[in-house]
Amino acid sequence: MERGYESRGYLLDDYRLFHLSEPQKGKIEYHVHGFCKLLLLRSGSGGYWIEGQRYTLQPGDMVLIGSNCVHKPDFEADAPYERIIIYISPEFLQQSSTSGCNLLELFSGGKGHVLRLRERERKKVFALADMLEKELSGAEYGREILSNGALLRLLVEIGRDRNQEGALNPNPVTPEDQRVVEWMQYLDRHLQEDLDMDVLAERFFISNDEGSGRSGESSDFDRDGEIGYGERASTSDRYDTYRERVQHITLPYFLMLGISEERF
């Protein structure tokens, strides 16, 4: 287990490939793997939650998830989508890396967890995935050598293409206000614990206003008139209003994650 999340799947070999086209069955909760995961989305649309941030996907996108990285797919139930998923051992990636080519870095999230290539480069990557799948499904002489070569070429191609002009690393969909992002990240780290709205409100009110000596300044929320942290409001008034704002934003987020209102 990692940070209280379920560890799903297993990998006994250096890598394993799955070519799936059936819809997502039921809701999949946040989980981790003890290996790296590469997803190539051939068709369908949806999203992926990775470390508390949601990435919107479109056909052709590539998702790179590192070992023990908290994530979950977010596709509509019964909506078909075709994908190739490759589980890869971190040890295999490390052993196959060189001083100038760290394959583990591809899954670190340093440049984002989602890659969107131009059509030419995308076709090349998917062709290599097809070649890998063909070798793994056969039993011909040299199958393991050619399979290893196909996978390594696939990973190197992704590493090269992500630095090419026209390659995109789509940003996750997150609120513009940094404090909302901080709330979400805090919630994702503490979903296994008892969460209390008063504690949340007090925590972020103190750390972001009183604790930083900015209690007399305007809040980022002043722009829409929902909250006034200026001198007009007393500390008590500001706390009550802030608590309402926290609850207003946090409640839908909890419900989206499948957490009942009774938890808080």
Side-chain angles (χ1 to χ4, degrees):
M1 301 289 287
E2 176 72 13
R3 286 180 281 174
Y5 294 96
E6 177 187 6
S7 180
R8 297 172 60 111
Y10 62 91
L11 183 63
L12 301 179
D13 302 314
D14 288 334
Y15 53 88
R16 190 176 180 187
L17 183 147
F18 306 87
H19 192 158
L20 308 172
S21 57
E22 66 269 15
Q24 178 177 306
K25 296 181 179 178
K27 183 177 181 180
I28 299 178
E29 300 295 340
Y30 277 111
H31 60 277
V32 298
H33 300 300
F35 43 81
C36 297
K37 177 178 177 179
L38 171 64
L39 180 143
L40 307 177
L41 185 63
R42 283 194 175 275
S43 64
S45 59
Y48 240 83
W49 284 89
I50 305 174
E51 292 291 340
Q53 297 181 310
R54 187 185 190 277
Y55 294 81
T56 300
L57 303 182
Q58 64 185 40
D61 283 351
M62 306 167 195
V63 183
L64 300 105
I65 302 173
S67 171
N68 293 321
C69 179
V70 180
H71 66 282
K72 69 173 181 177
D74 186 16
F75 290 82
E76 290 187 17
D78 301 325
Y81 70 105
E82 183 182 1
R83 65 274 192 202
I84 292 177
I85 297 175
I86 307 176
Y87 293 168
I88 312 173
S89 162
E91 291 74 21
F92 175 80
L93 293 172
Q94 187 171 14
Q95 292 169 6
S96 302
S97 296
T98 65
S99 58
C101 179
N102 184 356
L103 296 176
L104 272 172
E105 188 273 334
L106 292 175
F107 298 89
S108 68
K111 293 187 177 182
H113 290 282
V114 175
L115 178 62
R116 186 172 296 159
L117 300 176
R118 295 180 300 183
E119 183 177 5
R120 183 179 65 179
E121 286 79 11
R122 183 174 67 250
K123 286 183 175 180
K124 186 186 301 184
V125 169
F126 277 84
L128 289 170
D130 291 338
M131 182 187 303
L132 173 60
E133 182 178 12
K134 180 180 178 181
E135 289 297 335
L136 289 173
S137 63
E140 298 183 10
Y141 176 78
R143 166 185 174 275
E144 183 177 354
I145 294 176
L146 290 183
S147 296
N148 288 352
L151 175 59
L152 293 176
R153 186 178 174 188
L154 168 64
L155 295 173
V156 169
E157 191 66 40
I158 290 176
R160 288 180 174 180
D161 291 341
R162 75 187 310 173
N163 295 316
Q164 295 294 323
E165 182 180 355
L168 298 176
N169 296 106
N171 293 320
V173 179
T174 56
E176 293 183 0
D177 192 281
Q178 182 58 32
R179 276 176 294 184
V180 179
V181 177
E182 291 173 4
W183 297 336
M184 290 184 173
Q185 292 173 342
Y186 179 85
L187 293 174
D188 286 317
R189 293 194 300 268
H190 297 83
L191 283 178
Q192 307 300 319
E193 304 172 11
D194 289 332
L195 296 166
D196 181 84
M197 288 305 305
D198 288 314
V199 173
L200 287 172
E202 184 176 5
R203 174 185 177 85
F204 289 102
F205 174 75
I206 293 174
S207 63
N208 284 286
D209 288 288
E210 293 184 342
S212 59
R214 297 187 295 112
S215 58
E217 299 180 9
S218 296
S219 159
D220 293 336
F221 296 129
D222 282 339
R223 292 189 298 266
D224 55 21
E226 290 190 50
I227 280 185
Y229 287 167
E231 296 178 357
R232 299 188 306 271
S234 68
T235 301
S236 176
D237 292 338
R238 284 186 283 120
Y239 174 83
D240 291 340
T241 309
Y242 193 84
R243 184 190 187 285
E244 293 172 2
R245 181 61 171 167
V246 175
Q247 190 164 19
H248 172 73
I249 295 176
T250 306
L251 177 57
Y253 184 61
F254 273 26
L255 297 179
M256 178 179 61
L257 295 176
I259 300 175
S260 66
E261 296 183 49
E262 287 75 14
R263 280 286 305 276
F264 53 94

